[in-house]
Amino acid sequence: MAILEAKDLTKRFGQTPALEKASFALEPGRIVGLLGPNGSGKTTLIKLANELLVPTEGEILVDGMKPGVETKKIVSYLPDCMYFDDHMKVGDCLELFTDFYEDFDAGKAQEMLAQLGIKKELLFKTLSKGTKEKAQLCFVMSRHAKLYLLDEPIGGVDPAARDYILATILKNYNEDATVVISTHLIADIEKILDEVVFLSWGRVVRHQSTDELREQTGKSVDEVFREVYKC
């Protein structure tokens, strides 16, 4: 069974379509790039999978279920913005995740935070933007989820931090789970991707494994992306 499936998924805001009849199915045990320029529908799709939005038409299924209470138990979500209050301490977030998620591994999170030198008594407002994003990723990747939805996890950090974030994703996700990484920074992440879904103006224009794409085109994922989305 697909861990994430869209069937003619459409989402409109007024008369403006953010997604238009998008269809695809992702199997367990894959790292998938959800790729497209800004405004292509990536964040809308991820929010639909998290029940933060509801479809206008069509449907989206997580492990065969419509998004809701049961799917939230198996989905670990990293939004494209900070959702911790600046006046919270890092330790407060550890307690929050421990209380809220049965699958949260507090020991793993503390180990990752210690490797980064992020102490539990620090307030989030004292951390740099990149350190905040690393800390948030530590919490998200310390859940034993079936599906990880990471919206622009490398968008706001420097190249060295990007390498750390990608290594963290590879090292810490459940290998039977699926990781979906939304980004437009293809060159930085294509080395870890098993397959790609290209979105353009809310439509799926390409979905295939990275090996097939490279074999068919003789080009890297980044090169194909630049051709598909050339201005």
Side-chain angles (χ1 to χ4, degrees):
M1 179 185 293
I3 187 65
L4 181 64
E5 185 173 10
K7 299 179 179 180
D8 289 330
L9 184 62
T10 297
K11 178 62 182 178
R12 299 189 188 96
F13 297 98
Q15 297 301 312
T16 305
L19 286 172
E20 191 73 36
K21 294 190 179 299
S23 296
F24 62 86
L26 305 181
E27 300 300 320
R30 310 283 283 171
I31 299 180
V32 183
L34 183 62
L35 311 180
N38 293 331
S40 60
K42 302 188 301 296
T43 293
T44 297
L45 196 154
I46 287 177
K47 286 184 175 180
L48 286 163
N50 281 285
E51 205 192 15
L52 296 173
L53 296 171
V54 295
T56 305
E57 297 171 12
E59 65 178 348
I60 187 165
L61 301 174
V62 176
D63 203 23
M65 300 176 284
K66 290 187 177 181
V69 174
E70 291 304 310
T71 63
K72 291 179 192 299
K73 296 177 182 178
I74 62 173
V75 174
S76 193
Y77 170 44
L78 181 75
D80 61 347
C81 59
M82 284 299 300
Y83 60 85
F84 295 136
D85 189 287
D86 263 355
H87 296 286
M88 292 179 72
K89 294 180 180 179
V90 174
D92 296 333
C93 297
L94 270 170
E95 292 179 8
L96 179 67
F97 266 66
T98 300
D99 290 343
F100 205 76
Y101 297 111
E102 291 183 3
D103 63 359
F104 181 64
D105 187 336
K108 177 190 282 191
Q110 290 183 74
E111 180 182 342
M112 293 166 67
L113 290 166
Q115 290 172 353
L116 290 168
I118 303 174
K119 298 178 180 179
K120 291 191 288 185
E121 60 269 20
L122 291 174
L123 289 169
F124 266 90
K125 69 177 181 180
T126 67
L127 304 179
S128 68
K129 184 176 187 295
T131 302
K132 287 178 181 177
E133 293 186 358
K134 289 180 196 174
Q136 190 165 264
L137 183 70
C138 289
F139 292 116
V140 169
M141 296 309 299
S142 293
R143 287 185 58 198
H144 297 290
K146 281 189 172 184
L147 177 63
Y148 298 84
L149 297 174
L150 313 179
D151 195 359
E152 296 288 356
I154 61 173
V157 297
D158 60 72
R162 289 174 192 171
D163 290 341
Y164 175 84
I165 286 171
L166 294 179
T168 299
I169 293 168
L170 278 175
K171 182 180 177 182
N172 292 285
Y173 88 101
N174 171 6
E175 291 186 0
D176 295 324
T178 291
V179 180
V180 177
I181 304 173
S182 160
T183 188
H184 59 276
L185 300 171
I186 318 304
D188 291 290
I189 71 158
E190 74 166 273
K191 61 188 176 185
I192 74 168
L193 299 178
D194 297 309
E195 60 188 88
V196 293
V197 177
F198 281 12
L199 283 177
S200 180
W201 299 107
R203 295 181 179 272
V204 176
V205 295
R206 191 165 205 143
H207 176 208
Q208 65 185 139
S209 76
T210 51
D211 288 342
E212 288 176 351
L213 184 147
R214 293 185 188 106
E215 186 175 335
Q216 286 179 8
T217 65
K219 298 174 182 177
S220 69
V221 176
D222 185 54
E223 288 171 327
V224 174
F225 179 87
R226 290 172 187 272
E227 286 186 359
V228 170
Y229 300 105
K230 183 162 54 179
C231 295

